[in-house]
Amino acid sequence: MRICILGATGLVGRELLTLLDRAWPGAERVLYASRDQTLEHGGESFAVHAAAKLETEDAPRGDLAFVALDDQYSARYCPRLVDLGYRVIDKSNTYRMDPDVPLVVAGVNHRRVDDSVSLIANPNCTTIPLTLALEPLRARFGLGEVTVSSYQAISGAGVAALDDFIAQTAAGFAAMAESGDRLGEGLDAANYPGNTVPHAGKTDDSGFSSEERKLINESRKILELPELGIGAQCCRVPVTVGHYENVWLELREPTTAEAIAEVLRVAPFVSYLPGAEGAELTALATLKRRDSALVGRLRRDNRDQDGRRWCLTVAADNLRLGAATNAVRAGSAWFGGEDPSLRV
Ligand SMILES: NC(=O)c1ccc[n+]([C@@H]2O[C@H](COP(=O)([O-])OP(=O)(O)OC[C@H]3O[C@@H](n4cnc5c(N)ncnc54)[C@H](OP(=O)(O)O)[C@@H]3O)[C@@H](O)[C@H]2O)c1
């Protein structure tokens, strides 16, 4: 079996590389990025090729491809990989809302991955954990309305943004300590270090950003609820990894906290954390359970009249559950895999 990763040097690509060893240990790995280079990862050196080589006539054929590139490069390389015989899992936004391309969350709708399709899309890193929490509740109680407020990590913006953030945070806080600037007046009010910033990229005439529209539209497509009443507001917060989402839910049927907890305790790829106070439910705690959606802080909405309105929190490692892990599990619907925790 030959597996290729495009974007192998990026944050998501490196996580994929780690997971491939667990899922398909005997497979040949072929890695691509913007140019020929050597990647040091997990104590090993990997040869990485320029992706443009895939466009040559003698480019090698293969079986499974993970594409972890920005939108415009995905649009360039995904069709070529399909031509080369690969089953392709694209992690960008390019194909997510294409009605002919399944948008797959393993544990929710992986039945969409079968031999009739060669290209599937991996949802946004906030959508995956949210739908893992919502789907079992939809199946048991029915979903009325959903409201989400997200607090998203900087690694969601890729390796260059993350490295800048770490360097600027270190320098900014060192300067604060040195000058006695307790409040951070010397920090840049438009930048990420020490700050909360609207996730406002590509805000359109609706007033909502592309991140907010993705969370709304992708959830509707995955849950197969095109009319779902769902609202979202998204921010970036100054943490390295772990997207955190506060969720207000209206269920169709009245129920109890115990009945909801019972459903979440056995939900696929969910780690349910009991207790309204949210012990162990932090952004960085997702690094301890990288391949699960952490779901907790379950409590009755203070405005509830009849057992249908609930609050909960969902958090997940955006690079693993929110990206690489979901893609590998989706790929297992085609190709199985050795590690049961990475299979659907
Ligand atoms: N980060 C997340 O939390 C997350 C979650 C879900 C989905 N995604 C999506 O996954 C994709 C990758 O995200 P990321 O965070 O891993 O990005 P990243 O860290 O910025 O990495 C980008 C990758 O793209 C490669 N690349 C850049 N220009 C290229 C070109 N012209 N031709 C071929 N390869 C090129 C880079 O290679 P070089 O090293 O050679 O420049 C690098 O391997 C994006 O579509 C993103 O939206 C990200």
Side-chain angles (χ1 to χ4, degrees):
M1 182 177 176
R2 176 179 285 152
I3 305 180
C4 101
I5 303 175
L6 262 74
T9 54
L11 291 177
V12 175
R14 289 172 202 232
E15 297 297 342
L16 281 165
L17 197 47
T18 302
L19 294 178
L20 290 195
D21 258 357
R22 285 170 45 192
W24 297 285
E28 180 193 352
R29 297 168 294 195
V30 198
L31 311 183
Y32 294 93
S34 69
R35 56 186 168 79
D36 288 343
Q37 58 197 286
T38 302
L39 169 66
E40 305 296 335
H41 178 71
E44 275 185 82
S45 287
F46 295 88
V48 178
H49 310 283
K53 288 183 180 165
L54 285 163
E55 291 168 328
T56 60
E57 255 179 44
D58 58 349
R61 298 176 65 79
D63 302 293
L64 178 59
F66 295 94
V67 181
L69 302 174
D70 284 346
D71 293 2
Q72 74 269 32
Y73 303 123
S74 277
R76 174 170 164 190
Y77 292 113
C78 287
R80 175 62 181 154
L81 288 162
V82 170
D83 284 347
L84 289 171
Y86 284 95
R87 297 275 169 77
V88 179
I89 302 176
D90 180 45
K91 313 188 68 55
S92 79
N93 189 40
T94 311
Y95 298 100
R96 289 180 187 158
M97 296 314 293
D98 182 331
D100 295 329
V101 177
L103 180 61
V104 178
V105 177
V108 174
N109 65 343
H110 53 267
R111 67 187 183 285
R112 297 267 161 227
V113 187
D114 62 25
D115 288 342
S116 70
V117 288
S118 317
L119 170 66
I120 62 174
N122 202 65
N124 193 38
C125 35
T126 47
T127 312
I128 292 168
L130 180 70
T131 54
L132 280 169
L134 292 183
E135 169 57 17
L137 299 177
R138 180 208 64 74
R140 173 69 182 78
F141 308 107
L143 268 188
E145 287 207 342
V146 181
T147 306
V148 189
S149 185
S150 78
Y151 313 88
Q152 298 178 220
I154 309 301
S155 56
V159 66
L162 180 61
D163 285 348
D164 278 353
F165 166 74
I166 293 168
Q168 289 171 14
T169 301
F173 277 77
M176 282 171 65
E178 204 169 304
S179 65
D181 170 18
R182 278 204 174 97
L183 303 184
E185 286 172 279
L187 296 175
D188 179 355
N191 205 354
Y192 296 138
N195 208 359
T196 300
V197 179
H199 205 315
K202 298 188 188 149
T203 295
D204 69 6
D205 290 346
S206 70
F208 287 86
S209 65
S210 70
E211 195 72 7
E212 292 163 340
R213 298 195 301 275
K214 285 179 207 171
L215 192 49
I216 292 168
N217 295 328
E218 292 176 17
S219 298
R220 288 177 175 151
K221 180 173 173 179
I222 294 158
L223 298 169
E224 296 177 10
L225 295 172
E227 307 298 327
L228 178 66
I230 173 167
Q233 299 198 64
C234 300
C235 294
R236 275 216 204 275
V237 289
V239 300
T240 49
V241 74
H243 288 354
Y244 194 93
E245 301 172 64
N246 281 333
V247 183
W248 291 258
L249 281 178
E250 190 178 29
L251 301 173
R252 293 243 180 254
E253 282 177 26
T255 189
T256 62
E258 188 41 45
I260 295 174
E262 224 170 80
V263 169
L264 292 172
R265 255 185 230 117
V266 295
F269 310 130
V270 165
S271 290
Y272 175 67
L273 301 171
E277 69 284 358
E280 296 177 61
L281 186 47
T282 68
L284 283 180
T286 66
L287 283 172
K288 296 193 167 47
R289 292 183 174 95
R290 304 194 72 190
D291 301 322
S292 305
L294 310 187
V295 182
R297 293 218 72 202
L298 173 64
R299 61 230 187 266
R300 192 185 284 260
D301 190 320
N302 56 293
R303 299 160 297 182
D304 180 59
Q305 302 283 335
D306 59 3
R308 292 187 308 122
R309 294 172 81 177
W310 296 89
C311 296
L312 49 77
T313 294
V314 177
D317 181 328
N318 47 297
L319 302 175
R320 283 284 282 269
L321 181 86
T325 308
N326 186 63
V328 169
R329 285 176 179 150
S332 79
W334 278 319
F335 291 99
E338 298 290 312
D339 184 333
S341 72
L342 295 175
R343 268 199 323 251
V344 286

